[in-house]
Amino acid sequence: MTIEEKLALLDETFEADEGTVQADMALDDIDEYDSMTKLSLIVMMEDEFGVKLTSEMVRKLETVQDILDLMK
């Protein structure tokens, strides 16, 4: 999966407009990044990448790049 495809998947998960989410963005700067989005992120990461995120792991995420680094 390319970086563009991963970012598009994050746009969808965050329910953001296409092309909104960029690798260098701080998660706190994304209006759509709220508690429901965090739950959606946990589910998407397990479904798409087999990565089981814990709530502690999600709390430590600071940037979109942090999420991208977990997408293997």
Side-chain angles (χ1 to χ4, degrees):
M1 183 176 284
T2 68
I3 188 78
E4 291 82 12
E5 291 170 326
K6 291 176 182 178
L7 289 171
L9 186 57
L10 289 176
D11 281 333
E12 182 180 322
T13 302
F14 292 5
E15 296 183 5
D17 292 335
E18 184 178 332
T20 299
V21 178
Q22 299 298 316
D24 61 348
M25 296 177 78
L27 294 172
D28 289 341
D29 292 341
I30 301 172
D31 292 337
E32 296 85 0
Y33 192 70
D34 58 16
S35 59
M36 290 303 293
T37 302
K38 291 175 185 177
L39 289 174
S40 295
L41 177 64
I42 290 169
V43 171
M44 181 276 294
M45 288 295 289
E46 185 164 358
D47 288 351
E48 296 291 327
F49 300 97
V51 176
K52 292 186 179 190
L53 292 179
T54 65
S55 57
E56 182 64 28
M57 291 169 74
V58 172
R59 275 194 292 278
K60 290 181 180 180
L61 297 172
E62 295 181 6
T63 66
V64 172
Q65 186 63 53
D66 293 340
I67 298 171
L68 294 173
D69 291 344
L70 295 172
M71 295 176 162
K72 299 179 181 179

